């Protein structure tokens, strides 16, 4: 996956300011940075949930941003997991996994159910196949959302703060599933504040601020020994918040991530 010269503005607010980034096949790239830095907007531009103002995105050699691209075909190759789980509350777990397969991929009921069962097994939730989302914990619902994305057979997985809405004790199960996917060689781009995950699982860490990439390198460089003062300042506040000085916050701009 390649991002070239990507810009995105919401009115006068320029959220992305010329992003150049490559995620190689089988690579795990964690994107970190303060709120409003453009991390989530970057993910949403990759699969055109947001239309870039300028620039190009390539997935598997196909230019996603080309005006004649079949975006539905491209999106079938890109799985995305959001902060919120976005499960249909009136459908069982299995039905949540089979519905997109049948509607988008055209699989019959039996084939879709088989794929659903396999991916529920992968995320450790086989026993919840007939449950409804309301009966599941937040961590279980997020694992169902990951299984739903995997059931579509994506080449790339995008994660937008997948643990931010979870109670701390539920975070580990979701990160364990993501670690498993990394071990299996899934290409992943992960927006996260989970520094332990980024340090131990990521091949590269990208630090963004104010719509630009400030630092890009292996975790041992970016997290352990950052070269930029802005990166060091961010990590010091994130890793030891009790020692941070009080700073005046700038209100988020409408439409910013």
């Amino acid at each position: 996956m390649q991002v070239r010269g990507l810009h995105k503005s919401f009115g006068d607010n320029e959220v992305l300011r010329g992003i150049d980034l490559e995620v190689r096949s089988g690579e795990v790239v964690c994107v970190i940075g303060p709120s409003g830095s453009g991390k989530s907007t970057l993910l949403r531009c990759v699969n055109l949930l947001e239309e870039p103002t300028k620039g190009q995105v390539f997935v598997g050699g196909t230019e996603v941003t080309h005006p004649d691209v079949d975006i539905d075909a491209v999106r079938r190759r890109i799985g995305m997991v959001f902060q919120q789980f976005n499960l249909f509350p009136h459908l069982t777990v299995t039905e949540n996994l089979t519905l997109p397969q049948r509607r988008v991929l055209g699989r019959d009921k039996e084939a879709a159910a088989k794929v659903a069962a396999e991916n529920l097994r992968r995320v450790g939730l086989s026993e919840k196949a007939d449950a409804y989302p309301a009966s599941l914990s937040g961590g279980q619902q997020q694992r169902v959302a990951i299984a739903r994305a995997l059931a579509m057979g994506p080449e790339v997985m995008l994660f937008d703060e997948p643990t931010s809405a979870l109670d701390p004790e539920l975070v580990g199960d979701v990160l364990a599933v993501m670690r498993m996917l990394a071990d299996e060689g899934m290409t992943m781009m992960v927006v996260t504040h989970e520094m332990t995950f980024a340090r131990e699982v990521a091949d590269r860490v990208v630090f963004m601020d104010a719509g630009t990439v400030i630092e890009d390198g292996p975790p041992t460089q970016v997290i352990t020994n950052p070269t930029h003062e802005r990166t060091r300042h961010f990590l010091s506040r994130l890793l030891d918040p009790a020692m941070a000085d009080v700073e005046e916050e700038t209100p988020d701009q409408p439409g910013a991530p």
Side-chain angles (χ1 to χ4, degrees), residues 107-159:
R107 287 178 180 152
D108 62 36
K109 184 176 181 179
E110 182 178 352
K114 183 177 181 180
V115 172
E118 170 59 20
N119 283 288
L120 286 176
R121 183 197 62 76
R122 292 175 73 190
V123 302
L125 289 174
S126 295
E127 76 282 2
K128 300 296 184 181
D130 297 323
Y132 287 88
S135 69
L136 306 180
S137 70
Q140 289 171 334
Q141 290 187 61
Q142 190 62 294
R143 283 190 280 159
V144 171
I146 293 173
R148 178 181 56 189
L150 293 173
M152 304 297 286
E155 299 173 16
V156 178
M157 286 285 288
L158 309 178
F159 293 86

Side-chain angles (χ1 to χ4, degrees), residues 26 28 30 122-123 143 146 150 157 159 162-163 171-188 190 194-203:
V28 178
C30 284
R122 292 175 73 190
V123 302
R143 283 190 280 159
I146 293 173
L150 293 173
M157 286 285 288
F159 293 86
T163 61
V171 168
D173 289 340
V174 173
L175 293 181
V177 169
M178 295 170 64
R179 187 187 297 263
M180 173 201 71
L181 295 178
D183 290 342
E184 292 177 354
M186 175 64 74
T187 306
M188 298 165 59
V190 184
E194 300 289 346
M195 289 300 103
T196 299
F197 177 86
R199 185 184 291 112
E200 296 179 356
V201 179
D203 297 294

Side-chain angles (χ1 to χ4, degrees), residues 43-51 75 80 82:
L43 286 193
R44 294 174 68 86
C45 284
V46 168
N47 63 358
L48 290 195
L49 290 177
E50 296 287 357
E51 186 174 351
R75 284 178 179 156
M80 187 156 183
F82 300 88

Side-chain angles (χ1 to χ4, degrees), residues 2-9 13-22 37-38 41-42 45 52-57 206-216:
Q2 291 183 318
V3 175
R4 299 178 184 172
L6 196 67
H7 291 254
K8 176 61 182 178
S9 297
N13 182 26
E14 190 176 19
V15 178
L16 299 178
R17 304 179 182 185
I19 300 293
D20 292 302
L21 183 65
E22 180 177 0
S37 60
T41 300
L42 173 60
C45 284
T53 305
K54 185 170 64 173
Q56 297 172 296
V57 177
V206 172
F207 174 68
M208 289 183 61
D209 187 37
T212 62
V213 172
I214 303 297
E215 198 155 355
D216 180 350

Side-chain angles (χ1 to χ4, degrees), residues 38-83:
K39 308 181 302 295
S40 295
T41 300
L42 173 60
L43 286 193
R44 294 174 68 86
C45 284
V46 168
N47 63 358
L48 290 195
L49 290 177
E50 296 287 357
E51 186 174 351
T53 305
K54 185 170 64 173
Q56 297 172 296
V57 177
F58 296 85
V59 175
T62 300
E63 184 185 347
V64 177
T65 45
H66 192 281
D68 296 328
V69 74
D70 182 350
I71 187 57
D72 291 332
V74 171
R75 284 178 179 156
R76 288 197 289 269
R77 300 161 62 182
I78 305 171
M80 187 156 183
V81 178
F82 300 88
Q83 297 177 25

